Amino acid sequence: MKVDEFCIHCGQPALGGEHAACRSPRTALEPPRFCPRCARRMVVQITPSGWSARCSRHGESTSAGSAATAG
């Protein structure tokens, strides 16, 4: 499995850089906004039972999945 290269909250490279705001307890509950593999902005749908996020290249991930990454 490929390691995530980009932050799912800001879209910047995951290694290096300042991600303190991205790792706050508040953002831990938010759905991903950017694809962790290509940094494209994802289409996010939030429902009462969870969320789904879709990257045009890497597919869909959901809150029912084990992690907030695109598959």
Side-chain angles (χ1 to χ4, degrees), residues 11-35:
Q12 299 299 313
L15 299 177
E18 183 62 37
H19 292 283
C22 300
R23 295 186 179 114
S24 74
R26 182 183 150 271
T27 58
L29 299 175
E30 292 184 6
R33 302 294 179 177
F34 294 89
C35 177

Side-chain angles (χ1 to χ4, degrees), residues 14-54:
L15 299 177
E18 183 62 37
H19 292 283
C22 300
R23 295 186 179 114
S24 74
R26 182 183 150 271
T27 58
L29 299 175
E30 292 184 6
R33 302 294 179 177
F34 294 89
C35 177
R37 294 177 61 192
C38 66
R40 280 182 167 69
R41 189 101 166 127
M42 295 197 295
V43 176
V44 178
Q45 173 133 14
I46 300 172
T47 65
S49 62
W51 55 261
S52 65
R54 182 174 37 87

